[in-house]
Amino acid sequence: MINFEYLRVSTPKAAIEALSRDNTSQWIAGGTNLIDLMKKGVMAPQKLIDISNLPLKEIKKEGNKVHIGAMALNSDVAENELIQREQPLLSLALAAGASQQLRNMATVGGNMMQRTRCPYFYNTDLPCNKRQPGSGCGALKGFNRMHAIFGASDKCIAVHPSDMCIALAALDAMVLVNGPKGDRRIPFTDFHRLPGDTPQKDNTLERGELIIGIEIPDNPYRKNVHYLKVRDRSSYAFALVSVAAAMDLEGGTIKDARLAMGGVAHKPWRLSEVETWLKGKSVSDAVFREAAQLAMRGAKAYGQNNFKLKLAPNAIVEALKAATQKT
Amino acid sequence: MATKGPHNEDPNDKALNKGRREFLKHSSLLTALAVAPPHLVKAAESALDEKAAVYFEQVPLSLEVNGVHHKLSVEPRVTLLDLLREQLALPGTKKGCDHGQCGACTVHVNGRRVLSCMSLAVMQEGKKVTTIEGLANGDQLHPMQEAFIKHDGFQCGYCTPGQIMSGIACIREGHANSDEEVREYMSGNICRCGAYPNIVKAIADVKKGGHKL
Ligand SMILES: Cc1cc2nc3c(=O)[nH]c(=O)nc-3n(C[C@H](O)[C@H](O)[C@H](O)COP(=O)(O)OP(=O)(O)OC[C@H]3O[C@@H](n4cnc5c(N)ncnc54)[C@H](O)[C@@H]3O)c2cc1C
Ligand code: FES
Ligand code: FES
């Protein structure tokens, strides 16, 4: 790892000012993604601005929303009593990610900003349009077992690796941002983006904009929720496919549902159309299978990840079933 | 403010280091101003030469390790793992992968388990670190160390310091209520020798013993 300057800040304002003063600088929060990428030479900021001490760790109820500070640790959010009671889907998704040691370091903001785990992105000797725009996408015709089946482009087929973000996309969260040009609120599903011709941009945040927190509006999804993560080993591995499912049931009828998938796209893949279709239907395996087929419209695989075309719908059915069975 | 020179180079350029000396002479003062005590800042202002620049590559750091207070100066890029092993002569904490993937480097910071290979030393300012060397009380081993011996919780032993630090935290967190839960919450510690069944037994035993950890 090449050396760098180090600066500690204690207010969001100072963090934003320090970053805008120097375009080779980068914020560091938990460091679990950035340090890794710096050791590999994928990123090489010349100055790190330590934002881990910013007073943005609160998890609290504000009116009819839950507010989570950007610096809250992944483990603290997963195990928070309010989150477990009111937003259990988020708690489940967080607990499915990384390991307890990493969750004790990783922050909510850092989790949203983590880069893809595509091996071409991680290896500076190989082509990758995300790391080096114009160098080509090595994964397109290469090792693409982990890669996207939705919304990819011929410039990039990488996926966003977060579990937490899949739940937040399903739960209609809002991202709160402060920046040099003022404050913004970004709907979670608009935060991450599809690769298109500019895969170097993971999300719609502009340089200098700091995530200060997220808000989740009240919802009825307190019981019939499930986060299913399919991976190469049963824990401490990234998702091949994951499904966040939440249902509001009345007897055997689906009053409303929330559904999103991970491991399948450059952003958390919210299945709004399927949610609408499920509304008013009765719970049954046949309904879930039909929902899963609907979800797969437009899916496209790239060779090594062909198995996802079968795995993804099966995972949706399993997740919906598991969610209905929660008591 | 000096933002020229290497600042404008491609971040992937491996030649970055070449410009570094020059760059440090001009701009390392900024870092120093942010974190250094006043007398150092003064020294820097009066003598911004090569010597001062080298000096200012080091950031002052004070932290407690296994109950001992240290006042150190470290390069920003030094990880907590390397600080422990190379500067504080505490090689009990192991480097397995150095990329957050194995758990061999697990230590406690302010009582919680973290990966020291993914932590910058300079970010531990004012914190309390506990390593495997800090567990025993004189000749009296920690109950988790005793349990690993009793249950044969290791073969080569390389992952063991990390397993023990993680196991203690696992119980403290309240994540050791069943073998299944222990396995899930210990998944961040890889054992190449496959001693998992006995590791789970050791943790379950300590949990059952109701020791104050
Ligand atoms: C071995 C391993 C396994 C993992 N497995 C999983 C997994 O299964 N599932 C999963 O979801 N994740 C997994 N992760 C990834 C982990 O969740 C992320 O590394 C972590 O969430 C990043 O958070 P951080 O605070 O450490 O970010 P950092 O590394 O500190 O920062 C990452 C980036 O975010 C930027 N940033 C940080 N905070 C803010 C903010 N408030 N505003 C704007 N920008 C900000 C930083 O500038 C930096 O560029 C794994 C990681 C490792 C190393
Ligand atoms: S050495 Fe830190 S996790 Fe492997
Ligand atoms: S005992 Fe050898 S790696 Fe665990």
Side-chain angles (χ1 to χ4, degrees):
Chain A
M1 184 155 63
I2 64 159
N3 216 356
F4 47 83
E5 294 181 79
Y6 172 77
L7 181 81
R8 208 173 281 141
V9 290
S10 54
T11 65
K13 192 162 167 271
I16 293 162
E17 275 172 13
L19 195 87
S20 58
R21 236 181 276 137
D22 179 350
N23 65 6
T24 65
S25 62
Q26 191 72 255
W27 290 315
I28 181 164
T32 61
N33 191 223
L34 188 55
I35 302 280
D36 196 17
L37 291 166
M38 287 171 69
K39 283 182 179 180
K40 297 260 192 209
V42 176
M43 290 174 96
Q46 293 182 17
K47 182 195 276 179
L48 286 190
I49 302 161
D50 179 357
I51 57 172
S52 64
N53 296 310
L54 296 186
L56 300 170
K57 297 195 168 109
E58 256 188 321
I59 304 167
K60 62 183 178 202
K61 189 81 194 222
E62 258 178 0
N64 54 358
K65 295 176 190 116
V66 167
H67 175 100
I68 305 173
M71 291 301 135
L73 299 178
N74 284 189
S75 54
D76 286 342
V77 180
E79 290 166 28
N80 181 274
E81 195 257 333
L82 171 68
I83 302 297
Q84 289 187 338
R85 189 176 65 241
E86 297 198 2
Q87 307 293 345
L89 183 62
L90 175 60
S91 177
L92 292 173
L94 276 163
S99 67
Q100 186 72 357
Q101 289 97 312
L102 285 159
R103 293 191 293 268
N104 276 342
M105 307 166 74
T107 62
V108 166
N111 191 315
M112 292 168 62
M113 297 296 288
Q114 65 174 302
R115 311 298 310 267
T116 184
R117 310 299 287 203
C118 172
Y120 295 90
F121 177 73
Y122 257 80
N123 188 329
T124 52
D125 294 331
L126 298 175
C128 169
N129 285 323
K130 186 180 274 301
R131 175 172 37 75
Q132 191 82 59
S135 62
C137 172
L140 199 58
K141 294 198 170 80
F143 292 98
N144 52 31
R145 191 170 165 271
M146 301 294 288
H147 290 70
I149 52 171
F150 291 112
S153 73
D154 60 358
K155 298 288 191 298
C156 178
I157 60 170
V159 298
H160 194 268
S162 169
D163 292 298
M164 175 193 84
C165 293
I166 309 309
L168 289 174
L171 294 169
D172 299 306
M174 190 66 89
V175 186
L176 312 181
V177 170
N178 282 2
K181 291 181 217 145
D183 302 349
R184 285 209 287 157
R185 298 165 63 83
I186 310 171
F188 203 89
T189 43
D190 295 339
F191 183 83
H192 296 96
R193 58 187 291 286
L194 291 177
D197 287 336
T198 51
Q200 65 272 25
K201 283 175 73 81
D202 294 347
N203 53 57
T204 51
L205 207 63
E206 282 173 32
R207 188 171 160 83
E209 286 190 314
L210 179 76
I211 304 166
I212 59 157
I214 52 163
E215 279 176 4
I216 312 173
D218 279 354
N219 61 53
Y221 307 111
R222 294 192 179 188
K223 190 178 92 184
N224 294 109
V225 299
H226 191 67
Y227 188 74
L228 177 72
K229 186 173 176 187
V230 186
R231 42 191 156 169
D232 286 331
R233 57 183 182 207
S234 59
S235 184
Y236 199 22
F238 287 95
L240 291 164
V241 168
S242 71
V243 180
M247 280 189 289
D248 184 16
L249 300 177
E250 199 169 64
T253 306
I254 303 164
K255 277 174 75 183
D256 210 348
R258 293 288 178 271
L259 207 54
M261 263 197 280
V264 295
H266 197 259
K267 60 184 287 188
W269 197 247
R270 174 83 182 259
L271 296 163
S272 309
E273 228 182 288
V274 184
E275 292 168 7
T276 312
W277 184 86
L278 280 169
K279 233 174 155 164
K281 299 267 186 327
S282 311
V283 169
S284 79
D285 287 6
V287 163
F288 292 163
R289 276 199 298 273
E290 210 174 324
Q293 287 318 313
L294 184 60
M296 293 307 289
R297 269 200 219 154
K300 177 176 185 294
Y302 296 87
Q304 291 186 347
N305 69 349
N306 288 356
F307 70 95
K308 289 193 183 182
L309 297 178
K310 205 165 169 185
L311 179 61
N314 286 349
I316 292 174
V317 173
E318 284 309 307
L320 287 168
K321 269 204 236 174
T324 50
Q325 281 156 14
K326 296 271 170 82
T327 46
Chain B
M1 173 186 267
T3 49
K4 54 182 182 309
H7 271 133
N8 300 327
E9 284 176 27
D10 185 327
N12 283 321
D13 190 347
K14 297 240 168 65
L16 216 57
N17 266 332
K18 269 191 278 162
R20 214 178 107 231
R21 270 173 172 269
E22 193 53 27
F23 160 73
L24 277 166
K25 272 203 278 185
H26 292 292
S27 60
S28 63
L29 183 61
L30 301 175
T31 320
L33 287 173
V35 293
H39 67 279
L40 294 183
V41 175
K42 223 181 193 155
E45 280 166 355
S46 57
L48 189 60
D49 57 10
E50 185 75 31
K51 230 165 110 199
V54 173
Y55 187 70
F56 278 102
E57 263 186 282
Q58 306 275 327
V59 177
L61 168 66
S62 91
L63 83 174
E64 198 181 298
V65 181
N66 299 333
V68 180
H69 201 85
H70 294 274
K71 273 198 179 318
L72 307 160
S73 69
V74 295
E75 272 191 355
R77 66 173 153 182
V78 171
T79 60
L80 176 58
L81 175 60
D82 288 340
L83 178 82
L84 293 168
R85 292 178 56 86
E86 288 165 23
Q87 290 191 44
L88 299 181
L90 293 169
T93 306
K94 299 298 179 221
K95 185 183 280 190
C97 63
D98 210 22
H99 285 280
Q101 299 181 359
C102 76
C105 66
T106 303
V107 298
H108 297 173
V109 172
N110 289 349
R112 297 174 77 164
R113 51 173 158 164
V114 298
L115 299 178
S116 59
C117 74
M118 300 295 261
S119 309
L120 292 178
V122 288
M123 288 175 74
Q124 314 309 313
E125 174 68 29
K127 296 186 180 166
K128 289 189 173 148
V129 180
T130 307
T131 71
I132 188 79
E133 289 95 339
L135 292 183
N137 187 0
D139 284 344
Q140 177 80 44
L141 290 181
H142 185 280
M144 190 63 78
Q145 292 173 308
E146 297 273 18
F148 266 67
I149 296 170
K150 181 175 155 203
H151 291 280
D152 224 359
F154 52 88
Q155 286 183 39
C156 78
Y158 198 82
C159 71
T160 314
Q163 300 281 3
I164 288 178
M165 298 312 288
S166 205
I168 293 168
C170 184
I171 295 178
R172 272 197 205 144
E173 290 158 5
H175 289 138
N177 300 307
S178 66
D179 286 1
E180 197 188 335
E181 193 182 20
V182 168
R183 277 195 289 272
E184 172 59 33
Y185 279 86
M186 289 296 292
S187 71
N189 292 82
I190 308 289
C191 176
R192 191 185 52 173
C193 301
Y196 299 114
N198 294 352
I199 293 170
V200 174
K201 275 186 206 149
I203 294 171
D205 200 7
V206 176
K207 159 86 182 169
K208 209 168 65 210
H211 302 277
K212 193 173 174 295
L213 298 179

